[in-house]
Amino acid sequence: MAFKIKDGKEVRIAISGKSGCGNTTVSTLLSEILGIKLINYTFRTLAQERGMTLAQVIENAKTDDSYDKYTDTHQVELAKAESCVLGSRLAIWMLKEADIKVYLKLDEDTRAKRILNREGGDLEEIKKFTKMRDSEDTRRYKELYNIDNCSYDFVDVEIDTGVNNPEQVASIILEKLKEKGLVEEV
């Protein structure tokens, strides 16, 4: 099944979820299906650009708000410019203009196993790091933006990526966009 954005329309899709939920995979898949820009500007991207490790960026962000503020404002600026899929921890809160807001969820153990498969390492260390990262993200978002990233009851669709594979998740999102009259099957 193929989809395209309806003529004369712009579409902005915001996808959020914690690490290991499939944000990048699903965002990439949707951008490819719809032929629109993928914006996935994260701490990982920032770390690569600045020649740092992800752990260094996270550690620095504990005491320096500029890491969060740059990452968050930069991705929203990029998203406002054209049709896109914005996949980030705060996309659904920060991109007010999103036509659809999607939250991906997954249990902690499965998230850690996915991160292990993606990056390698020790499963227990990954669980510990991921728990610390989740906690630190929640603290910073509340402090910086008064956002509770554990509260997402306002989204258009919440999807468990443990019971839906990336293609199924994309299909659910595309059907929601179709219901809203923003995309059509071709």
Side-chain angles (χ1 to χ4, degrees), residues 2-153:
F3 286 86
K4 75 173 192 110
I5 296 173
K6 285 192 172 182
D7 291 341
K9 299 273 186 190
E10 284 193 358
V11 175
R12 286 169 186 81
I13 303 165
I15 301 177
S16 293
K18 295 180 178 177
S19 61
C21 285
N23 295 359
T24 303
T25 303
V26 170
S27 296
T28 301
L29 185 57
L30 278 170
S31 74
E32 290 170 356
I33 291 168
L34 293 172
I36 59 177
K37 186 174 186 171
L38 168 64
I39 299 170
N40 190 332
Y41 194 90
T42 64
F43 269 5
R44 187 176 308 285
T45 312
L46 184 65
Q48 290 169 346
E49 286 180 1
R50 295 188 179 181
M52 301 168 71
T53 66
L54 176 60
Q56 286 172 318
V57 170
I58 291 169
E59 188 60 33
N60 290 351
K62 288 179 182 179
T63 56
D64 184 349
D65 295 346
S66 70
Y67 288 88
D68 280 287
K69 289 180 179 176
Y70 178 77
T71 301
D72 299 330
T73 57
H74 185 63
Q75 67 186 355
V76 170
E77 287 167 2
L78 293 170
K80 286 180 178 182
E82 61 188 293
S83 288
C84 66
V85 180
L86 174 59
S88 79
R89 299 277 188 287
L90 290 179
I92 61 174
W93 291 275
M94 299 294 280
L95 186 60
K96 306 284 188 230
E97 301 80 2
D99 296 293
I100 186 169
K101 295 179 180 184
V102 180
Y103 190 81
L104 303 181
K105 63 181 186 174
L106 184 63
D107 67 88
E108 285 183 23
D109 284 342
T110 307
R111 289 172 48 217
K113 288 174 187 168
R114 286 185 179 179
I115 294 167
L116 174 69
N117 289 338
R118 180 179 71 208
E119 299 173 15
D122 176 74
L123 183 59
E124 289 310 311
E125 285 299 313
I126 290 170
K127 284 182 181 181
K128 198 166 109 179
F129 179 78
T130 301
K131 192 173 189 87
M132 177 279 299
R133 183 179 182 187
D134 290 346
S135 173
E136 191 53 34
D137 285 350
T138 298
R139 183 197 64 76
R140 282 193 335 277
Y141 302 155
K142 188 73 171 164
E143 187 178 295
L144 288 171
Y145 308 114
N146 199 28
I147 289 173
D148 177 358
N149 70 329
C150 297
S151 176
Y152 44 84
D153 58 347

